[in-house]
Amino acid sequence: MWQLLQFPLCPFSRKVRLMLGEKGVGYELVRESPWLHRDEFIDLNPAGTTPVMVQGQLRLRDSWAICEYFEETIDRAPMIPGDAAARAEIRRLVAWFDEKFFREVVGPLMEERMLKRLVHRASPDAKILREAMKNANGHLDYIDWLIDHRRWLGGPVLSLADLAAAAHLSVADYLGGIDWRGHEQTKQWYAGLKSRPSFRPMLSERMEVITPPPHYDKVDFWE
Amino acid sequence: MWQLLQFPLCPFSRKVRLMLGEKGVGYELVRESPWLHRDEFIDLNPAGTTPVMVQGQLRLRDSWAICEYFEETIDRAPMIPGDAAARAEIRRLVAWFDEKFFREVVGPLMEERMLKRLVHRASPDAKILREAMKNANGHLDYIDWLIDHRRWLGGPVLSLADLAAAAHLSVADYLGGIDWRGHEQTKQWYAGLKSRPSFRPMLSERMEVITPPPHYDKVDFWE
């Protein structure tokens, strides 16, 4: 059985968990708080980041490497499907969410609303929060545009692009950083993902001391 | 013929160019300065980053997606070789250099010694430069350690891990951020990479107004 070291609001771990769920790979969750810099964790992953996956002597570090590993070893439910050009487009969007959306939206929200509360015992910076939420709105416009042109974000079928986007969006949403008004296309696409068996268990988990907004775990946002 | 949009000191473009060189893929260089935010470039890549590759209707964006594309389509000189676990280790190290080494060393050096000069017309911040060079030393220790345990960074053969590391190191070295003293293993490994036909053309290129240190393009560092 794989062990997956993570914390509930790690967007990169969520992306991996969605992929493992779609592929039907079992794993045991192990809580890791990377901001504590535990020696044993740094031994496992010198980069100091979650997720890390362990099975026997095998260690997988870095969410990109982990996703490609399971895409290569588990044929079920291909998440980087299609020809080389289609796969490049899916990977471009995964990088978009892992890098750009994380840097402009999720990272600042985690810093201001999670790490400042859990670690630094400081108040969030309202200006940084406003900027992150404004950036989020621009990203939702881009997702709206993608869904106007394609069935799923990366192309005609569900792919790692959708899982990466949903993973990051779900963390931003938990932290109150997403204003869904005026983004009906994205809302419907996200409702579809929320209702998948790979997603549902994550929505019931909570990060200590931080409460998500009421719509967070509702598939249709309001019930 | 592929077109590759980049600027001489883009480490992600250098990684892609090293890979194309090893695989024998021809391309034409097109100069792009992403900090100018040219509309036509944003149309090509909404993320606004180099490298971008174009051939006919096909556009490849994001250096990770580009490297995987050529690994999948060109059999010659596999750069992510081995079984799934070996490939995960190579990708972990690529992510190490693209994310951690870039964030802690190359990014700050580019900001202080390149963008401040070219764009902001400001002086570099000596404190940030010192911190980046101190970080670089820690990374060189890690590369020394890897080479003490393996033939190449990612395992027994040359891989994308070496190319990514060399790409980022070469930009940091150009910008005067690397003190090679006390890192003989890394120096020898890097000298070997510098002498490869895929690397040599890059070493002769110059970024406007910024001059590299004298050892920069010397394979053995002193001749």
Side-chain angles (χ1 to χ4, degrees):
Chain A
M1 172 79 103
W2 286 99
Q3 288 195 320
L4 170 52
L5 286 73
Q6 59 108 50
F7 60 98
L9 288 183
C10 172
F12 304 99
S13 302
R14 286 186 172 215
K15 177 184 65 174
V16 166
R17 291 177 67 187
L18 290 172
M19 181 145 186
L20 297 174
E22 294 294 330
K23 288 189 168 285
V25 176
Y27 58 90
E28 176 196 355
L29 284 180
V30 179
R31 170 62 189 258
E32 183 66 45
S33 302
W35 52 88
L36 299 179
H37 305 289
R38 258 194 336 122
D39 287 346
E40 294 83 356
F41 183 60
I42 301 299
D43 285 347
L44 269 178
N45 182 16
T49 55
T50 49
V52 169
M53 292 193 68
V54 180
Q55 188 181 55
Q57 294 302 306
L58 185 54
R59 303 161 177 194
L60 304 177
R61 284 80 54 102
D62 182 77
S63 73
W64 164 39
I66 294 173
C67 288
E68 296 278 353
Y69 177 90
F70 286 102
E71 184 69 0
E72 289 177 3
T73 56
I74 309 286
D75 289 337
R76 180 179 154 182
M79 285 292 133
I80 314 178
D83 63 13
R87 289 161 64 88
E89 174 64 359
I90 291 165
R91 290 186 175 112
R92 171 183 82 85
L93 289 166
V94 174
W96 178 286
F97 290 100
D98 279 354
E99 291 165 24
K100 192 171 169 67
F101 190 72
F102 180 78
R103 184 178 65 242
E104 297 176 353
V105 179
V106 182
L109 285 168
M110 291 176 74
E111 177 66 28
E112 299 303 319
R113 290 221 163 121
M114 188 189 83
L115 291 174
K116 279 202 175 167
R117 182 139 183 201
L118 286 178
V119 187
H120 311 305
R121 312 279 170 190
S123 301
D125 182 321
K127 185 158 168 281
I128 295 176
L129 285 176
R130 265 199 310 276
E131 185 70 19
M133 293 176 74
K134 201 185 113 201
N135 291 339
N137 198 51
H139 280 278
L140 290 183
D141 285 342
Y142 187 54
I143 301 175
D144 287 341
W145 182 86
L146 287 172
I147 298 170
D148 277 344
H149 291 77
R150 307 163 169 185
R151 175 81 184 78
W152 296 88
L153 294 198
V157 293
L158 176 77
S159 78
L160 191 56
D162 301 283
L163 306 185
H168 285 277
L169 260 176
S170 71
V171 174
D173 194 33
Y174 188 112
L175 294 170
I178 303 293
D179 181 351
W180 294 97
R181 288 173 298 178
H183 299 288
E184 279 309 315
Q185 297 98 316
T186 300
K187 224 171 141 173
Q188 280 184 25
W189 158 85
Y190 187 57
L193 280 164
K194 271 172 141 178
S195 67
R196 296 181 82 85
S198 65
F199 207 149
R200 296 244 292 278
M202 267 171 17
L203 290 173
S204 62
E205 292 169 22
R206 292 294 174 268
M207 187 82 193
E208 59 272 17
V209 310
I210 305 168
T211 308
H215 70 258
Y216 167 73
D217 55 3
K218 308 290 189 295
V219 164
D220 59 5
F221 290 89
W222 58 80
E223 262 181 18
Chain B
M1 173 78 105
W2 286 97
Q3 287 194 320
L4 170 52
L5 284 74
Q6 59 106 54
F7 60 97
L9 288 183
C10 172
F12 304 99
S13 302
R14 286 185 172 216
K15 177 183 67 173
V16 165
R17 292 177 66 186
L18 289 172
M19 181 147 187
L20 297 175
E22 293 294 331
K23 288 189 169 284
V25 177
Y27 57 91
E28 177 197 354
L29 284 180
V30 178
R31 169 62 188 261
E32 183 66 46
S33 303
W35 52 88
L36 299 179
H37 305 288
R38 259 196 333 123
D39 287 345
E40 295 82 358
F41 183 60
I42 301 299
D43 285 346
L44 268 178
N45 182 16
T49 56
T50 47
V52 168
M53 292 192 70
V54 180
Q55 188 181 54
Q57 293 304 305
L58 185 55
R59 303 162 177 194
L60 303 177
R61 283 79 56 101
D62 181 79
S63 73
W64 164 38
I66 294 173
C67 287
E68 296 279 353
Y69 177 90
F70 286 103
E71 184 69 1
E72 289 176 4
T73 54
I74 309 286
D75 289 338
R76 179 178 155 183
M79 285 293 133
I80 314 177
D83 63 13
R87 289 160 64 88
E89 175 63 1
I90 291 164
R91 290 186 176 113
R92 171 183 82 85
L93 289 166
V94 175
W96 177 286
F97 291 101
D98 280 354
E99 291 165 22
K100 192 172 168 68
F101 190 73
F102 180 78
R103 185 178 64 242
E104 297 176 355
V105 180
V106 182
L109 286 168
M110 290 174 74
E111 177 65 29
E112 299 303 319
R113 291 221 163 122
M114 188 189 83
L115 290 174
K116 279 200 174 168
R117 182 139 182 203
L118 286 180
V119 186
H120 311 305
R121 312 276 170 192
S123 301
D125 182 321
K127 187 158 167 280
I128 294 176
L129 284 176
R130 267 199 308 277
E131 186 70 20
M133 292 176 75
K134 203 185 112 201
N135 292 338
N137 198 49
H139 280 277
L140 291 183
D141 285 342
Y142 187 55
I143 301 175
D144 286 342
W145 182 87
L146 287 171
I147 298 170
D148 277 344
H149 291 77
R150 307 164 168 183
R151 176 80 184 80
W152 295 88
L153 294 198
V157 293
L158 175 77
S159 77
L160 190 56
D162 301 283
L163 305 186
H168 285 278
L169 260 175
S170 70
V171 174
D173 194 33
Y174 189 112
L175 294 170
I178 303 292
D179 182 352
W180 293 97
R181 289 172 299 178
H183 299 287
E184 277 310 314
Q185 297 98 315
T186 300
K187 223 171 139 171
Q188 279 182 26
W189 158 86
Y190 186 58
L193 280 163
K194 271 172 142 178
S195 67
R196 296 181 82 84
S198 64
F199 207 149
R200 296 245 291 279
M202 266 170 19
L203 290 173
S204 62
E205 294 170 21
R206 293 292 175 268
M207 186 83 193
E208 58 271 19
V209 309
I210 305 169
T211 308
H215 70 258
Y216 166 74
D217 55 3
K218 308 290 190 294
V219 164
D220 59 4
F221 291 88
W222 58 79
E223 259 178 23

